[in-house]
Amino acid sequence: MTNIKLGICPIGWTNDDMPDLGKENTFQQCVSEMALAGFTGCEMGGKFPKDVDVLKKALALRGLSVASAWFSSFLTTKPYEETAEAFKAHRDFLHAMGAKVVVVSEQGNSIQGQLSTPLFANKPHNTDEEWKLVSEGLNKLGALAAEKDMKLVYHHHMGTGVQTEAEIDKLMEMTDPNLVFLLYDTGHLVCSGEDYIGILKKYVNRIKHVHLKDVRKELVEKVKNENMSFLDGVRMGMFTVPGDGCIDFKPVYDILKENNYEGWTMVEAEQDPAIANPLEYAQKARKYIHEVSGL
Ligand SMILES: O=C1C[C@@H](O)[C@H](O)[C@@H](O)C1=O
Ligand SMILES: [Co+2]
């Protein structure tokens, strides 16, 4: 028996960071193929209906539920109240959809959305003041999530001030462990050159949401050596589904199981859907995850 659930994110069908990737794929196709490939949960994407009843019906017809959705905070660059108001609306929608966690990533000084900023050379480093703003703001947003019996899960991310193991450690130290939890994304850790298994072991009790992203190592090297941006790397295919790249996901599931992890593990593999057929790659991921985890 396990309480580990398996879902998939719509980013393999249409990429909200670069909406021309998969612009031809509709919401209906995306959720139908998620279900057809054997997944029971999804995150939200830009093409999803914003009406709770409409979305609930479309997902229920396919046996899917909403695990969460991304929220960009701007705690380092905007007044706290502005982020808090947007966060409450986002939280309330997710709550109405039955989700238990809210994915948050600080984007105030992020370069992840900049088309031609070199990813490795230009990674931002938080100043002391930025660390204070982010950690204090996240504690307050975490309390807002708790009001609805939800958890804020922080998404470490390439091209942001919380990317490396040292930065994750600092964020975890500076925030309240009862209010700010961690989202564990394999792809971002391996892309950054971190010890993805060590980090999982260290924070497994604080990790409340998992993104399963695999990496094509030679393409990450190309991004580094040729000063390419995050979005260039995605378009070129530096990420892929579990089972198709260099990451071993067996120890990931073993550690989650040994520690009685309860929650979602979400395939999240952005690449060009015109090259990597989303249904084919969803099925590939589903098969591989079954082989390594029994799920
Ligand atoms: O969770 C994520 C959401 C995306 O928008 C992001 O860029 C991607 O890399 C990711 O991990
Ligand atoms: Co992710």
Side-chain angles (χ1 to χ4, degrees):
M1 264 300 280
T2 177
N3 289 319
I4 304 179
K5 295 183 279 190
L6 180 60
I8 189 162
C9 298
I11 201 163
W13 281 264
T14 303
N15 189 330
D16 292 337
D17 297 341
M18 273 183 295
D20 70 296
L21 283 189
K23 62 179 179 315
E24 66 283 8
N25 295 326
T26 64
F27 162 72
Q28 305 281 345
Q29 178 195 338
C30 171
V31 289
S32 292
E33 292 185 354
M34 287 170 164
L36 186 59
F39 294 91
T40 58
C42 60
E43 288 192 15
M44 299 274 302
K47 289 185 178 172
F48 280 39
K50 307 290 176 288
D51 181 289
V52 169
D53 294 331
V54 172
L55 181 56
K56 269 191 178 160
K57 181 169 179 192
L59 296 183
L61 283 170
R62 297 165 173 88
L64 291 170
S65 58
V66 168
S68 193
W70 173 278
F71 177 80
S72 296
S73 63
F74 293 92
L75 297 163
T76 54
T77 50
K78 291 183 182 174
Y80 167 74
E81 288 311 327
E82 227 175 283
T83 291
E85 283 316 301
F87 180 83
K88 280 190 244 171
H90 185 79
R91 170 203 67 177
D92 291 348
F93 185 84
L94 285 177
H95 183 255
M97 290 305 304
K100 296 287 180 207
V101 298
V102 189
V103 175
V104 175
S105 177
E106 172 61 19
Q107 292 299 307
N109 55 3
S110 166
I111 58 155
Q112 74 187 61
Q114 296 175 10
L115 275 177
S116 49
T117 304
L119 178 60
F120 284 91
N122 286 55
K123 177 208 169 306
H125 297 272
N126 287 342
T127 62
D128 289 347
E129 177 60 13
E130 284 170 334
W131 276 115
K132 196 167 170 322
L133 285 167
V134 172
S135 52
E136 289 179 359
L138 287 174
N139 283 339
K140 288 192 263 182
L141 297 179
L144 291 175
E147 279 177 5
K148 297 278 181 184
D149 203 20
M150 298 173 81
K151 288 185 167 63
L152 180 159
V153 287
Y154 190 84
H155 197 319
H156 57 84
H157 202 289
M158 290 300 295
T160 73
V162 185
Q163 170 185 309
T164 66
E165 178 165 2
E167 289 163 344
I168 293 170
D169 288 346
K170 184 154 181 161
L171 187 81
M172 292 293 97
E173 273 164 32
M174 289 184 75
T175 51
D176 184 335
N178 296 309
L179 296 174
V180 178
F181 299 86
L182 187 63
L183 182 155
Y184 173 72
D185 187 316
T186 51
H188 284 280
L189 293 177
V190 172
C191 186
S192 175
E194 313 304 318
D195 170 11
Y196 76 108
I197 292 299
I199 293 171
L200 176 59
K201 286 183 180 160
K202 191 176 354 178
Y203 291 112
V204 68
N205 293 319
R206 209 162 161 186
I207 291 169
K208 302 294 172 194
H209 201 57
V210 174
H211 281 172
L212 306 165
K213 196 195 293 296
D214 210 339
V215 164
R216 294 188 179 101
K217 214 166 192 130
E218 67 287 3
L219 295 186
V220 171
E221 287 309 308
K222 191 170 159 71
V223 170
K224 203 181 285 177
N225 297 335
E226 297 182 18
N227 279 321
M228 295 167 76
S229 69
F230 177 72
L231 296 178
D232 284 337
V234 168
R235 192 179 286 277
M236 186 174 62
M238 72 174 170
F239 295 134
T240 185
V241 295
D244 191 47
C246 67
I247 300 180
D248 184 1
F249 286 84
K250 174 137 183 22
V252 171
Y253 274 103
D254 287 346
I255 293 163
L256 292 174
K257 282 190 211 160
E258 282 158 18
N259 289 278
N260 301 313
Y261 174 80
E262 290 185 15
W264 286 100
T265 55
M266 308 295 298
V267 172
E268 194 208 38
E270 62 260 52
Q271 53 189 323
D272 186 346
I275 298 169
N277 179 292
L279 174 59
E280 183 187 339
Y281 276 73
Q283 287 173 331
K284 189 191 276 249
R286 183 71 192 85
K287 184 169 176 285
Y288 170 77
I289 290 165
H290 178 67
E291 284 164 9
V292 296
S293 71
L295 283 183

